[in-house]
């Protein structure tokens, strides 16, 4: 009978607790806010910035933005 190979104590503890650790390169994500606009005529669209005045793409009316 061949005796089992000795393993580092940290590896045994990690295996017994069920935790698996691996390394990987960290990436980056950029978040953007998205504002949904809705005109009185019923048309809605999205903007990345919150403007003060907008022109509705459907009725072409100039509208004051309220939150």
């Amino acid at each position: 009978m061949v005796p089992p190979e000795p393993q580092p104590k940290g590896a045994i503890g990690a295996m017994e607790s069920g935790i698996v650790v691996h390394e990987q390169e960290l990436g980056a994500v950029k978040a953007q806010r998205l504002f949904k606009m809705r005109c009185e005529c019923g048309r809605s669209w999205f903007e990345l910035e919150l403007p003060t005045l907008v022109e509705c793409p459907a009725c072409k009316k100039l509208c004051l933005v309220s939150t």
Side-chain angles (χ1 to χ4, degrees):
M1 189 166 138
V2 178
E5 292 184 24
Q7 293 182 348
K9 288 185 178 180
I12 293 171
M15 289 172 27
E16 289 175 356
S17 68
I19 298 172
V20 178
V21 178
H22 27 144
E23 294 181 19
Q24 84 182 50
E25 191 173 323
L26 184 62
V29 174
K30 183 175 181 177
Q32 290 183 324
R33 293 182 188 174
L34 192 63
F35 297 97
K36 184 175 182 180
M37 306 291 175
R38 182 177 295 278
C39 181
E40 296 171 337
C41 74
R43 172 72 150 82
S44 63
W45 68 98
F46 295 95
E47 297 279 346
L48 291 176
E49 296 179 5
L50 185 59
T52 305
L53 292 171
V54 292
E55 182 179 317
C56 174
C59 69
K60 304 296 181 196
K61 187 176 182 180
L62 188 63
C63 301
L64 179 64
V65 176
S66 63
T67 56

